[in-house]
Amino acid sequence: MSFLVSEELSFRIPVELRYETCDPYAVRLTFHLPGDAPVTWAFGRELLIDGVGRPCGDGDVHIAPADPETFGEVLIRLQVGRDQALFRSGAAPLVAFLDRTDKLVPLGQERSLADFDSHLDQALHRILAEEQSAG
């Protein structure tokens, strides 16, 4: 991605995109800015999906196509208080990443995965309690 300092100045930075099935509604972007510790932002997967095609986002994260007429680049604006950072990414790598997340947990199926995790945790606790009372 490119970190846009101003209209005239930008530089490329490595950004790690992550998706974890234990948190199926969120995506994580870790920005590796020179001279600083990595910074990770987590936000809704649907926000990223929607933002590739149209401007969206309320609050601290705003995502929009750089040019609404073409499918080329996406702008991601992150804000904390009055401080904000603007990043530009190609749309294709974001779409490829989102496609991989959809293969792990299809969009709309997040709740069933969350329920599965909850049931698994309950079953493990029950098994451990039975083992402790038997021993």
Side-chain angles (χ1 to χ4, degrees):
M1 285 190 189
S2 293
F3 175 47
L4 307 176
V5 179
S6 68
E7 287 186 29
E8 300 83 28
L9 179 63
S10 68
F11 55 92
R12 303 226 11 111
I13 61 165
V15 177
E16 176 187 354
L17 288 85
R18 283 192 335 250
Y19 179 74
E20 300 168 358
T21 58
C22 62
D23 188 5
Y25 292 100
V27 294
R28 287 170 174 69
L29 279 67
T30 300
F31 300 89
H32 299 272
L33 296 167
D36 285 331
V39 176
T40 299
W41 278 73
F43 52 88
R45 176 170 66 156
E46 273 193 70
L47 177 62
L48 185 57
I49 291 169
D50 292 345
V52 168
R54 64 178 174 81
C56 63
D58 293 324
D60 297 340
V61 180
H62 294 264
I63 304 173
D67 180 357
E69 302 297 318
T70 64
F71 182 79
E73 294 184 320
V74 176
L75 297 174
I76 300 173
R77 183 170 49 89
L78 307 173
Q79 185 168 345
V80 176
R82 292 182 163 195
D83 296 329
Q84 62 179 309
L86 185 61
F87 300 89
R88 182 178 52 227
S89 172
L94 295 176
V95 170
F97 167 73
L98 290 166
D99 185 52
R100 289 191 303 274
T101 71
D102 193 60
K103 286 181 171 72
L104 291 171
V105 180
L107 193 61
Q109 298 298 312
E110 298 91 349
R111 184 169 174 82
S112 64
L113 182 66
D115 290 344
F116 172 77
D117 287 344
S118 171
H119 293 303
L120 179 60
D121 286 343
Q122 291 171 4
L124 289 174
H125 287 298
R126 189 174 60 250
I127 291 168
L128 290 174
E130 289 171 4
E131 285 180 1
Q132 289 174 353
S133 65

